[in-house]
Amino acid sequence: MPDSPKPSNILIVDDVPTNLTILAQTLRDQGFTVWVATSGNAALKQLAHGLPDLILLDIQMPGMNGLETCAKLKADLRTQDIPVIFMSALSEQANKVEGLSLGAVDYITKPFQEAEVLARVKVHLSIRELTQNLQREIEERKRVEAELAKANASLHRLAHIDGLTQVANRYRFDQDMEQVWRRLQRDHEPLSLILCDVDYFKLFNDHYGHQVGDDCLRQVALAIQKAVHRPDDLVARYGGEEFAIVLPSTHAQGAEQVALGILSKIAELNIPHEFSTVSPQITLSLGIATVIPKSEQSLDGLIELTDKALYRAKEEGRNTYCHHDCSQSPPSLSCSPSPLSLH
């Protein structure tokens, strides 16, 4: 069977013992747990040890009166949300208005009518319970929304980040390229693309093992990222040991500077590759293409040009770059001295 609901706690503050006795007994007969205090100071001290669900507070008391006590309750974060019902023999409108303006929820005039007291107490306890339930629901919803946002961020990351190298994946590359192509076509700005792959990586993997190969790719990806500085540039794993670097609003000379920076960072890694015929350490070959996107051109055409430049760099001896510059007329294909010496 479900547990019985916990009885509500009510604090009565009144300096007249007879009032306390009668009112406390009335509420206890209805199943409430009743606390009593004979002054405002005594009530505040009692609240330091526990918080009631509702306070019945007399206005006319010696020392700290009910209005002063209520002001202190509403100024304290611990007690400001506890509903306060004022009790007084005073019938003047000004006292009621002042009490309600301090944050009290209701007003009961002495002498008490038992049915009225119980009705008002139950109403305000119900309102408090509904308010607390609503606050819990809001907090739970915020927690769920925060967890959902966190999960969505993780899903977004999984969808756009390569799990091995932690750079953008092919899906992210394809998405960004489409957007960049349309933007630069509209703005008549150049777009440079670099495709690069690790020279003789299959031989590296076969002889050093796949775990060493995976670590090599992680280091290569990080080195490429260090050579690419602008926030709008994108480094992505294009597939296998091949990486792509998207350089929006970058002319041919700027793209070649990035390529040289990449080759320099790879050389700094100094990863041994005794089975390479190019160098005793890991090297890259790079293909570059630069275009100013136009409606009669295609994104696939840019990728094809870049891939051809990469193939040409391998023909030139690897550890170098070749560049298709179609941003000028006539288009040109040039290669750096091969192989590059960056040590």
Side-chain angles (χ1 to χ4, degrees):
M1 294 179 61
D3 294 336
S4 299
K6 185 179 179 181
S8 298
N9 298 320
I10 300 175
L11 171 63
I12 306 173
V13 188
D14 196 322
D15 64 315
V16 180
T18 303
N19 291 340
L20 280 177
T21 301
I22 294 173
L23 194 52
Q25 190 57 51
T26 298
L27 294 171
R28 289 189 179 112
D29 289 344
Q30 294 294 316
F32 297 111
T33 299
V34 179
W35 306 341
V36 296
T38 56
S39 69
N41 282 321
L44 295 178
K45 289 179 181 178
Q46 187 161 336
L47 291 173
H49 304 289
L51 299 179
D53 299 299
L54 184 142
I55 299 174
L56 293 171
L57 180 60
D58 187 28
I59 288 184
Q60 286 189 323
M61 294 185 295
M64 184 188 300
N65 65 31
L67 296 175
E68 294 170 325
T69 304
C70 183
K72 288 185 177 293
L73 290 171
K74 296 305 174 182
D76 189 333
L77 289 176
R78 293 179 62 250
T79 58
Q80 63 181 8
D81 293 329
I82 300 173
V84 175
I85 299 177
F86 274 123
M87 305 181 296
S88 178
L90 298 173
S91 59
E92 290 85 351
Q93 189 71 18
N95 293 109
K96 295 180 181 180
V97 171
E98 185 177 2
L100 295 173
S101 68
L102 288 171
V105 296
D106 210 340
Y107 199 103
I108 298 174
T109 303
K110 299 177 181 178
F112 304 122
Q113 297 296 321
E114 181 177 317
E116 179 187 4
V117 171
L118 292 175
R120 292 181 185 274
V121 164
K122 289 177 180 179
V123 164
H124 290 294
L125 285 174
S126 295
I127 292 172
R128 176 173 171 78
E129 183 179 5
L130 289 172
T131 302
Q132 289 177 329
N133 288 340
L134 180 59
Q135 288 175 339
R136 281 192 289 266
E137 288 178 9
I138 292 172
E139 290 171 2
E140 177 64 15
R141 178 173 293 183
K142 288 180 178 179
R143 186 192 67 78
V144 171
E145 288 176 351
E147 290 293 330
L148 183 60
K150 185 177 178 180
N152 285 336
S154 296
L155 287 174
H156 184 271
R157 179 175 177 80
L158 289 172
H160 293 81
I161 300 297
D162 177 64
L164 175 65
T165 62
Q166 297 301 298
V167 297
N169 59 15
R170 178 64 180 271
Y171 175 72
R172 167 78 182 280
F173 167 82
D174 290 338
Q175 280 192 323
D176 274 32
M177 281 293 285
E178 290 281 356
Q179 295 173 4
V180 168
W181 181 269
R182 289 195 297 268
R183 174 168 61 85
L184 297 183
Q185 181 177 322
R186 183 185 64 245
D187 297 341
H188 306 290
E189 289 283 326
L191 170 61
S192 292
L193 174 64
I194 300 175
L195 291 178
C196 55
D197 64 16
V198 181
D199 293 325
Y200 300 113
F201 187 71
K202 186 178 185 305
L203 291 174
F204 184 92
N205 243 357
D206 289 344
H207 288 86
Y208 294 103
H210 290 284
Q211 287 188 338
V212 177
D214 287 349
D215 186 60
C216 172
L217 292 178
R218 282 189 285 266
Q219 292 187 64
V220 167
L222 181 59
I224 294 173
Q225 281 190 306
K226 288 180 178 179
V228 178
H229 304 294
R230 300 185 311 172
D232 287 344
D233 297 341
L234 178 73
V235 177
R237 188 181 181 191
Y238 195 70
E241 70 273 20
E242 192 169 7
F243 295 88
I245 302 93
V246 183
L247 304 170
S249 303
T250 302
H251 293 280
Q253 184 177 1
E256 291 185 8
Q257 288 300 314
V258 172
L260 286 170
I262 291 171
L263 289 169
S264 177
K265 291 295 183 183
I266 296 299
E268 290 174 8
L269 293 177
N270 199 26
I271 300 174
H273 188 355
E274 59 182 300
F275 302 98
S276 170
T277 61
V278 180
S279 169
Q281 66 183 59
I282 284 291
T283 59
L284 296 186
S285 296
L286 300 91
I288 312 168
T290 302
V291 300
I292 298 177
K294 298 178 181 177
S295 56
E296 63 269 20
Q297 298 171 321
S298 71
L299 182 54
D300 289 340
L302 171 62
I303 295 174
E304 183 178 352
L305 282 175
T306 313
D307 201 48
K308 287 180 178 179
L310 173 59
Y311 184 78
R312 181 65 179 272
K314 293 180 180 180
E315 288 185 331
E316 292 293 318
R318 303 178 190 254
N319 191 27
T320 189
Y321 69 81
C322 288
H323 189 175
H324 267 293
D325 183 5
C326 300
S327 62
Q328 306 293 330
S329 183
S332 63
L333 173 63
S334 61
C335 297
S336 66
S338 176
L340 291 176
S341 177
L342 297 164
H343 308 291

